[in-house]
Amino acid sequence: MSVPRPGAARIAWSSPKVDRRLTEHAGYTVYALAPIAKGELILTWGGVIITTEQLHHAPQYAADRSIQVEENLHLCSGLVDDVADCVNHSCNPNAGLRGQISLVAMRDIAPGEEICFDYATSDGDPDFYMKCFCGQPDCRGEVTGNDWKTPSLQERYRGYFMPYLQRRIDAQK
Ligand SMILES: [Zn+2]
């Protein structure tokens, strides 16, 4: 009798309801293959933990595949090429963070929709800056490591911030 073997371990997990595709405007994007209900888990990131200083010296490829999970600490999937690494920012997103490594639907998502979250909910490094071309009517035009301080964003993403940023927000009050 053969012993069933577990599948190959993966560094990250993504729902079978999502996949990625290469676009002209934004490189790889993640999109829904099937309806996803509000609150449903979309993906979980994995990787190694690096400090902010290490991140600043990392190749852009690796920096693009990282997310800040604590003060001065970032989860980085490095050279692994995974669906979970392809989630873009949007100023009007359909997904948000749950805890430190998971992304969930903030509302019901229809097949074909691109999966996005607002990097304001994860990036608290004052040196972080990117221009935004998300194309949403309420696009902020730029995304920075100080966006979490904006009261309207704190209100909008209540419950969807990275825990270390929620602690900063709570400490302001
Ligand atoms: Zn935008």
Side-chain angles (χ1 to χ4, degrees):
M1 196 175 84
S2 67
V3 178
R5 290 195 310 172
R10 289 173 55 196
I11 202 168
W13 179 88
S14 55
S15 165
K17 294 183 181 180
V18 300
D19 200 358
R20 65 178 177 178
R21 62 182 161 209
L22 197 53
T23 66
E24 283 185 13
H25 68 285
Y28 274 111
T29 65
V30 178
Y31 67 102
L33 295 168
I36 300 173
K38 179 180 179 180
E40 195 171 330
L41 182 63
I42 297 172
L43 54 85
T44 297
W45 291 288
V48 297
I49 302 296
I50 59 175
T51 65
T52 300
E53 188 186 355
Q54 287 172 319
L55 179 74
H56 289 166
H57 291 92
Q60 191 63 42
Y61 184 93
D64 288 345
R65 285 157 182 76
S66 71
I67 185 167
Q68 186 167 357
V69 292
E70 278 296 344
E71 300 290 352
N72 200 39
L73 296 176
H74 306 252
L75 179 65
C76 179
S77 67
L79 302 180
V80 174
D81 190 28
D82 195 279
V83 171
D85 291 317
C86 301
V87 187
N88 286 318
H89 162 90
S90 171
C91 296
N92 185 20
N94 51 16
L97 303 174
R98 177 191 285 162
Q100 291 172 302
I101 62 170
S102 292
L103 189 73
V104 300
M106 284 177 60
R107 59 166 172 77
D108 291 346
I109 298 172
E113 275 192 71
E114 183 179 348
I115 308 293
C116 295
F117 73 105
D118 193 322
Y119 290 0
T121 59
S122 61
D123 270 291
D125 176 2
D127 290 332
F128 174 73
Y129 175 89
M130 66 172 219
K131 284 207 174 305
C132 187
F133 303 97
C134 75
Q136 294 294 321
D138 52 353
C139 177
R140 303 196 291 279
E142 57 183 25
V143 186
T144 82
N146 291 316
D147 287 359
W148 65 272
K149 296 177 180 173
T150 305
S152 61
L153 296 181
Q154 292 179 356
E155 183 64 30
R156 183 176 189 177
Y157 298 125
R158 187 195 304 272
Y160 294 103
F161 275 98
M162 194 63 84
Y164 84 93
L165 283 179
Q166 188 62 56
R167 288 198 299 276
R168 286 191 195 174
I169 293 167
D170 293 344
Q172 283 185 318
K173 292 170 181 164

mmCIF file of all heavy atoms in Angstrom, residues 89-91 132-136 138-141 143, ligand 1:
data_model
loop_
_atom_site.group_PDB
_atom_site.id
_atom_site.type_symbol
_atom_site.label_atom_id
_atom_site.label_comp_id
_atom_site.label_asym_id
_atom_site.label_seq_id
_atom_site.Cartn_x
_atom_site.Cartn_y
_atom_site.Cartn_z
ATOM 1 N N HIS A 89 -1.506 47.940 -5.589
ATOM 2 C CA HIS A 89 -2.194 48.960 -4.793
ATOM 3 C C HIS A 89 -3.358 49.550 -5.579
ATOM 4 O O HIS A 89 -3.298 49.689 -6.800
ATOM 5 C CB HIS A 89 -1.213 50.090 -4.450
ATOM 6 C CG HIS A 89 -1.909 51.345 -4.034
ATOM 7 N ND1 HIS A 89 -2.235 51.605 -2.718
ATOM 8 C CD2 HIS A 89 -2.376 52.393 -4.753
ATOM 9 C CE1 HIS A 89 -2.871 52.768 -2.656
ATOM 10 N NE2 HIS A 89 -2.966 53.266 -3.876
ATOM 11 N N SER A 90 -4.402 49.925 -4.867
ATOM 12 C CA SER A 90 -5.445 50.781 -5.434
ATOM 13 C C SER A 90 -5.885 51.761 -4.359
ATOM 14 O O SER A 90 -5.904 51.421 -3.166
ATOM 15 C CB SER A 90 -6.644 49.954 -5.902
ATOM 16 O OG SER A 90 -7.726 50.820 -6.258
ATOM 17 N N CYS A 91 -6.251 52.974 -4.782
ATOM 18 C CA CYS A 91 -6.795 53.952 -3.833
ATOM 19 C C CYS A 91 -8.273 53.678 -3.548
ATOM 20 O O CYS A 91 -8.880 54.348 -2.718
ATOM 21 C CB CYS A 91 -6.613 55.366 -4.378
ATOM 22 S SG CYS A 91 -4.879 55.850 -4.564
ATOM 23 N N CYS A 132 1.017 56.927 -7.968
ATOM 24 C CA CYS A 132 -0.087 55.998 -8.183
ATOM 25 C C CYS A 132 -0.779 56.286 -9.502
ATOM 26 O O CYS A 132 -1.075 57.433 -9.826
ATOM 27 C CB CYS A 132 -1.101 56.087 -7.043
ATOM 28 S SG CYS A 132 -2.368 54.806 -7.191
ATOM 29 N N PHE A 133 -1.003 55.232 -10.234
ATOM 30 C CA PHE A 133 -1.713 55.335 -11.504
ATOM 31 C C PHE A 133 -2.920 54.396 -11.492
ATOM 32 O O PHE A 133 -3.269 53.808 -12.505
ATOM 33 C CB PHE A 133 -0.783 54.981 -12.669
ATOM 34 C CG PHE A 133 0.464 55.818 -12.726
ATOM 35 C CD1 PHE A 133 1.655 55.361 -12.189
ATOM 36 C CD2 PHE A 133 0.435 57.079 -13.302
ATOM 37 C CE1 PHE A 133 2.806 56.135 -12.240
ATOM 38 C CE2 PHE A 133 1.580 57.864 -13.352
ATOM 39 C CZ PHE A 133 2.769 57.391 -12.827
ATOM 40 N N CYS A 134 -3.524 54.229 -10.302
ATOM 41 C CA CYS A 134 -4.599 53.240 -10.188
ATOM 42 C C CYS A 134 -5.825 53.619 -11.009
ATOM 43 O O CYS A 134 -6.644 52.761 -11.334
ATOM 44 C CB CYS A 134 -4.965 52.998 -8.723
ATOM 45 S SG CYS A 134 -5.933 54.307 -7.943
ATOM 46 N N GLY A 135 -5.960 54.909 -11.328
ATOM 47 C CA GLY A 135 -7.041 55.314 -12.221
ATOM 48 C C GLY A 135 -8.395 55.463 -11.552
ATOM 49 O O GLY A 135 -9.395 55.749 -12.214
ATOM 50 N N GLN A 136 -8.447 55.281 -10.230
ATOM 51 C CA GLN A 136 -9.718 55.449 -9.529
ATOM 52 C C GLN A 136 -10.053 56.940 -9.429
ATOM 53 O O GLN A 136 -9.148 57.778 -9.369
ATOM 54 C CB GLN A 136 -9.621 54.844 -8.117
ATOM 55 C CG GLN A 136 -9.454 53.335 -8.109
ATOM 56 C CD GLN A 136 -10.680 52.623 -8.649
ATOM 57 O OE1 GLN A 136 -11.805 53.011 -8.384
ATOM 58 N NE2 GLN A 136 -10.461 51.579 -9.441
ATOM 59 N N ASP A 138 -10.969 58.630 -7.015
ATOM 60 C CA ASP A 138 -10.423 59.235 -5.803
ATOM 61 C C ASP A 138 -8.945 58.908 -5.623
ATOM 62 O O ASP A 138 -8.435 58.887 -4.498
ATOM 63 C CB ASP A 138 -11.227 58.801 -4.576
ATOM 64 C CG ASP A 138 -11.387 57.278 -4.481
ATOM 65 O OD1 ASP A 138 -10.978 56.587 -5.443
ATOM 66 O OD2 ASP A 138 -11.909 56.792 -3.462
ATOM 67 N N CYS A 139 -8.245 58.655 -6.730
ATOM 68 C CA CYS A 139 -6.810 58.342 -6.650
ATOM 69 C C CYS A 139 -6.057 59.484 -5.970
ATOM 70 O O CYS A 139 -6.249 60.651 -6.309
ATOM 71 C CB CYS A 139 -6.239 58.093 -8.044
ATOM 72 S SG CYS A 139 -4.463 57.781 -8.020
ATOM 73 N N ARG A 140 -5.178 59.142 -5.026
ATOM 74 C CA ARG A 140 -4.416 60.154 -4.302
ATOM 75 C C ARG A 140 -3.216 60.648 -5.108
ATOM 76 O O ARG A 140 -2.552 61.602 -4.704
ATOM 77 C CB ARG A 140 -3.936 59.584 -2.961
ATOM 78 C CG ARG A 140 -5.072 59.065 -2.070
ATOM 79 C CD ARG A 140 -4.647 58.865 -0.629
ATOM 80 N NE ARG A 140 -3.707 57.783 -0.415
ATOM 81 C CZ ARG A 140 -4.031 56.490 -0.319
ATOM 82 N NH1 ARG A 140 -5.287 56.110 -0.479
ATOM 83 N NH2 ARG A 140 -3.112 55.574 -0.099
ATOM 84 N N GLY A 141 -2.884 59.952 -6.215
ATOM 85 C CA GLY A 141 -1.782 60.399 -7.060
ATOM 86 C C GLY A 141 -0.428 59.919 -6.576
ATOM 87 O O GLY A 141 0.503 59.783 -7.357
ATOM 88 N N VAL A 143 1.426 57.409 -3.158
ATOM 89 C CA VAL A 143 1.242 56.599 -1.964
ATOM 90 C C VAL A 143 2.524 56.727 -1.157
ATOM 91 O O VAL A 143 3.625 56.565 -1.713
ATOM 92 C CB VAL A 143 0.984 55.120 -2.322
ATOM 93 C CG1 VAL A 143 0.646 54.315 -1.068
ATOM 94 C CG2 VAL A 143 -0.140 55.002 -3.348
HETATM 95 ZN ZN ZN B 1 -4.405 55.692 -6.842
#
